[in-house]
Structure formats: structure tokens, C-alpha cells
């Protein structure tokens, strides 16, 4: 290698170094430009976000201005009404107030009547639907019974063919399924019939309430209205009282059983006693039990109910106490306070209603509504 080639190589190396340095510088400048571009894009995004927030705030302020304007308009209208009322005489204001009270009371009464009519129509519709369902269930029940008879007949024929044991087992399984379906449909049928009976009772009660509201002007007059209820059994009177005063009366299972077994000849008197007991309960819990005297005294003097506790002899007798231990689901409780209804000879002329005041649940628990218990 001569000197000239060496010089050329050195110059080439310097040129390559300069080019590499230049490329590195250009790369750093490109990265700075990209970073600045990214920063500008972030700034533009932030500005757009700020613009959107300002636009939303402007809309909110406009809505607030509209609201204040509407309130100002309402205030002006109210002010005009007040000024018009100030120009009226005391007699004119009294007349206006009386007319408003009458209109309000009439509207409330019409609304109550309309609600009762709506409930009546709704119950009639539901009863019609339930009757249709019962008809469908009965038809399905008959079809299943026919299938059941056919399968049993077929099963008896199959028993003569030992080679068809598997099919026989499948048919037996199907018979079991059909028996279960039959039992389920029977239960649904009984439930539907019970529901229809309850709805018919409810419809009768709504008709009674609607009639009361058309001839009374307040709830107190509504419940004091003289009606021919015509209960045929004590159980009907008990159920109606529970429906009317379920907010204060809690009828126990033992009371329903005793009412079913009762032959008391004046079920309407049983309902009126339960009604008065419910009124007492509303008064008692409204006063938080502070009624100024014993509940026996208040029931006798204010609600005309013959109410007494059991004697010490009965309370000390294990046998007689057990007869006064009433039940509701899995609850059991001894009740000694009771109402005496009727009198004279014959058990069908006498009724006893045993109850307990439950301050925790704010209910009067009715444990017995039936025959005179042993003493």
C-alpha cells in the first residue's frame, strides 16, 4: 500500500465519520420534532375538552337563567293572585274557602268511589280469568285421566310379553309422571277454586264499602254506617274484620279454627265486637298505650264492650291455662283478656273473643273467636 492509497482511506474514514455524526444529529432533531408534535396534539385535545366543558357550562347557565325566568313569571302570577285576593272582602274570602272545601271533599269522595268501582271491575275480570283457567285445567285433567287409563290398559297387555320389559318400565315411569301431573293439576284446581271464593268475598265487601262511601262523608261515618251484613257464619265475620282492620288486628290460626267450629247465631254481633276492638287498638297505639285508665275500663265505657281478665283460679290451673294457650304458625301464647258476647241458655247464644295487646308489633292479636271455654 502506497502513501496515496493510505491518504484516500483516511479521507474516506473522515467522510464516513462526518456522515454518521450528521445522521445522529438529524435523528435527534427528528425526535424533538415528533415530541413537539405530540405535545401540540395533547394541547389541541386539552383545548377541545376545555371548549366542550365551557359549552356545557354555558348550557347549564342558560338553563338556570330559564329556570329563574320561569320562577320570576310564577312569582308575578302569584303576586297578581294575592293582590286580587287582597281586594276581596272577608265575606267573599269565606265563601271562596267554603266552595273550595266542598269541591275538595266532593273530589275525594268521587275518587274513593271510582277506586272502589275499579277494584270491583278488576276483581270481576280476575274471577272470569280464574274460571277460564279452572275450565282449562279440568279439560286437561280429563285428558290426562284418559291417557292414564290408556297407558294402564296398554301396560296390562305388555305384561303378557316378557321381551318388552324395558318398554314396560318406561310406561311405568310415564304413569308415575302422569300421576304426579294429575296431583299437581288437582292442587291447582283446589287453589283456583279457593281463590275464586276469596275473590267473590272480596267483591262482596267492596260493594259494601262502595255503598258506604256513597252515603257517608268521612271514614268515621263510613265504619259507623248501619249495614245489613248478613254474615252466615262467625268465620265470615272474622275474615271481614281482618280485611277491614288488618292494620291493627292480627287474626291467629287458632282463632280461625275456633270460628269455623262456632255455631253462634248472631255473627253480625261478632263482627261489631271485632270492629270496636279494632277502633280501640287504633286509639291505644296512637296514644302509645297512655289511655288514662286500664284497657278494661276504656273498652267498657268508650266502646261498650264487656271485657274482663280471667280469674285467679283459672290462671293458677294448669289445665285451664293450657286451654287458653293459642297458636299461630309456630307461635304460642297464653291470652286471658276476652270479650263476652251474647248470653242466656245454649252454647250457640254465647261467644268469647280472646285477645292480647302486642306493643312491639302494634297489633291486637286475636287468639280465639268461638265457644265459651272451660272454667
Amino acid at each position: 500500500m502506497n502513501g496515496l492509497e493510505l491518504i484516500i482511506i483516511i479521507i474516506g474514514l473522515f467522510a464516513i465519520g462526518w456522515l454518521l455524526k450528521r445522521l445522529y444529529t438529524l435523528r435527534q432533531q427528528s425526535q424533538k420534532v415528533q415530541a413537539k408534535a405530540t405535545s401540540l396534539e395533547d394541547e389541541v385535545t386539552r383545548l377541545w375538552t376545555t371548549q366542550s366543558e365551557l359549552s356545557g357550562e354555558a348550557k347549564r347557565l342558560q338553563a338556570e337563567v330559564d329556570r329563574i325566568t320561569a320562577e320570576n313569571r310564577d312569582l308575578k302570577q302569584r303576586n297578581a293572585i294575592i293582590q286580587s285576593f287582597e281586594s276581596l272582602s272577608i265575606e267573599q274570602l269565606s265563601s271562596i274557602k267554603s266552595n273550595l272545601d266542598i269541591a275538595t271533599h266532593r273530589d275525594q269522595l268521587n275518587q274513593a268511589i271510582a277506586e272502589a268501582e275499579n277494584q270491583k271491575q278488576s276483581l270481576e275480570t280476575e274471577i272470569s280469568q280464574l274460571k277460564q283457567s279452572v275450565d282449562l285445567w279440568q279439560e286437561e285433567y280429563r285428558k290426562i285421566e284418559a291417557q292414564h287409563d290408556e297407558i294402564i290398559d296398554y301396560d296390562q297387555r305388555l305384561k303378557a310379553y316378557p321381551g318388552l320389559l324395558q318398554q314396560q318400565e318406561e310406561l311405568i315411569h310415564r304413569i308415575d309422571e302422569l300421576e304426579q301431573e294429575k296431583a299437581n293439576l288437582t292442587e291447582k284446581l283446589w287453589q283456583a277454586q279457593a281463590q275464586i271464593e276469596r275473590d267473590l268475598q272480596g267483591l262482596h265487601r267492596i260493594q259494601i264499602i262502595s255503598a258506604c262511601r256513597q252515603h257517608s262523608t268521612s271514614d268515621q261515618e263510613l265504619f259507623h254506617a248501619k249495614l245489613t251484613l248478613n254474615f252466615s257464619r262467625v268465620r265470615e265475620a272474622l275474615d271481614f274484620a281482618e280485611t277491614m282492620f288488618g292494620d291493627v288486628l292480627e287474626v291467629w290460626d287458632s282463632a280461625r279454627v275456633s270460628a269455623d267450629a262456632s255455631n253462634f247465631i248472631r255473627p253480625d254481633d261478632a263482627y261489631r265486637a271485632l270492629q270496636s276492638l279494632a277502633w280501640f287498638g287504633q286509639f291505644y297505639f296512637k296514644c302509645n298505650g297512655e289511655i288514662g285508665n286500664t284497657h278494661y275500663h276504656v273498652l267498657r265505657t268508650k266502646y261498650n264492650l264487656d271485657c274482663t281478665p280471667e280469674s285467679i283460679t283459672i290462671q293458677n290451673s294448669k289445665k285451664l291455662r293450657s286451654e287458653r294457650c293459642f297458636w299461630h304458625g309456630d307461635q304460642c301464647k297464653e291470652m286471658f283478656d276476652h270479650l263476652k258476647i251474647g248470653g242466656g241458655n245454649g252454647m250457640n247464644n254465647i261467644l268469647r273473643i280472646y285477645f292480647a295487646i302486642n306493643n312491639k308489633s302494634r297489633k291486637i292479636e286475636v287468639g280465639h273467636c268461638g265457644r265459651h271455654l272451660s272454667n
Side-chain angles (χ1 to χ4, degrees), residues 32 40 111 116 236 261 351:
K32 290 180 179 179
L40 288 174
Q111 182 179 1
E236 292 181 12
L351 186 78

Side-chain angles (χ1 to χ4, degrees), residues 43-86:
E43 184 66 20
V44 168
T45 302
R46 187 185 65 78
L47 290 174
W48 275 109
T49 303
T50 303
Q51 182 181 0
S52 299
E53 292 176 352
L54 291 175
S55 177
E57 184 66 18
K59 290 180 181 179
R60 189 188 65 77
L61 291 174
Q62 182 63 40
E64 185 68 19
V65 169
D66 294 341
R67 186 184 65 79
I68 293 174
T69 302
E71 290 181 355
N72 187 36
R73 185 165 55 252
D74 291 341
L75 288 174
K76 287 182 179 179
Q77 292 176 354
R78 292 177 184 177
N79 188 35
I81 293 172
I82 291 172
Q83 289 178 353
S84 64
F85 272 105
E86 288 177 349

Side-chain angles (χ1 to χ4, degrees), residues 170-356:
E170 292 176 354
L171 285 173
I172 291 173
H173 179 68
R174 178 58 179 161
I175 289 172
D176 293 338
E177 291 180 348
L178 289 174
E179 289 287 354
Q180 183 62 40
E181 291 181 11
K182 176 182 176 182
N184 293 337
L185 285 174
T186 303
E187 183 179 357
K188 288 182 179 179
L189 180 62
W190 281 107
Q191 291 176 354
Q193 290 174 344
Q195 183 64 40
I196 289 173
E197 183 179 354
R198 288 194 295 271
D199 290 342
L200 287 173
Q201 293 176 353
L203 180 61
H204 172 67
R205 292 163 187 165
I206 287 176
Q207 290 172 342
I208 291 175
I209 295 171
S210 178
C212 286
R213 289 193 179 278
Q214 294 178 21
H215 296 86
S216 61
T217 57
S218 69
D219 287 342
Q220 191 69 11
E221 291 180 8
L222 166 65
F223 293 121
H224 279 288
K226 293 183 178 179
L227 297 173
T228 303
L229 299 173
N230 291 330
F231 293 116
S232 61
R233 303 281 297 173
V234 173
R235 176 60 187 269
E236 292 181 12
L238 181 67
D239 290 342
F240 192 21
E242 183 180 17
T243 300
M244 297 293 288
F245 304 100
D247 60 327
V248 68
L249 291 182
E250 181 176 294
V251 178
W252 280 32
D253 295 337
S254 55
R256 295 188 181 93
V257 172
S258 61
D260 283 332
S262 175
N263 293 319
F264 184 60
I265 62 175
R266 295 190 301 279
D268 287 6
D269 289 349
Y271 169 73
R272 293 187 184 94
L274 291 165
Q275 176 181 262
S276 297
L277 183 62
W279 290 339
F280 163 77
Q282 293 169 347
F283 167 71
Y284 179 90
F285 293 121
K286 182 178 180 181
C287 298
N288 293 321
E290 298 179 1
I291 55 177
N293 212 317
T294 64
H295 61 276
Y296 308 111
H297 177 80
V298 174
L299 284 168
R300 282 195 301 269
T301 58
K302 187 174 181 178
Y303 298 95
N304 196 29
L305 291 174
D306 186 2
C307 178
T308 60
E310 290 289 16
S311 66
I312 299 299
T313 302
I314 290 176
Q315 295 186 35
N316 289 335
S317 169
K318 184 177 180 180
K319 179 181 178 181
L320 298 178
R321 285 170 64 96
S322 65
E323 194 174 356
R324 287 153 180 82
C325 185
F326 306 111
W327 50 274
H328 185 55
D330 56 356
Q331 300 182 66
C332 289
K333 179 184 289 188
E334 290 182 343
M335 300 182 187
F336 298 113
D337 295 340
H338 60 280
L339 305 179
K340 298 179 180 179
I341 304 166
N345 297 325
M347 294 301 293
N348 59 352
N349 289 315
I350 299 173
L351 186 78
R352 294 293 184 265
I353 299 175
Y354 282 77
F355 66 94

Side-chain angles (χ1 to χ4, degrees), residues 6 16 19 27 45 90 92 99 113 138 155 172 185 192-193 215 221 246 259 324 331 350 367 369:
L6 182 61
I16 290 171
L19 286 173
R27 183 179 179 184
T45 302
I90 295 176
Q92 290 173 324
N99 291 334
I113 295 172
Q138 288 176 339
D155 179 60
I172 291 173
L185 285 174
Q193 290 174 344
H215 296 86
E221 291 180 8
R324 287 153 180 82
Q331 300 182 66
I350 299 173
C369 183

Side-chain angles (χ1 to χ4, degrees), residues 123-133:
L123 280 173
E124 288 176 343
T125 302
E126 187 175 352
I127 289 170
S128 176
Q129 293 174 350
L130 285 172
K131 286 181 177 179
Q132 292 176 0
S133 298

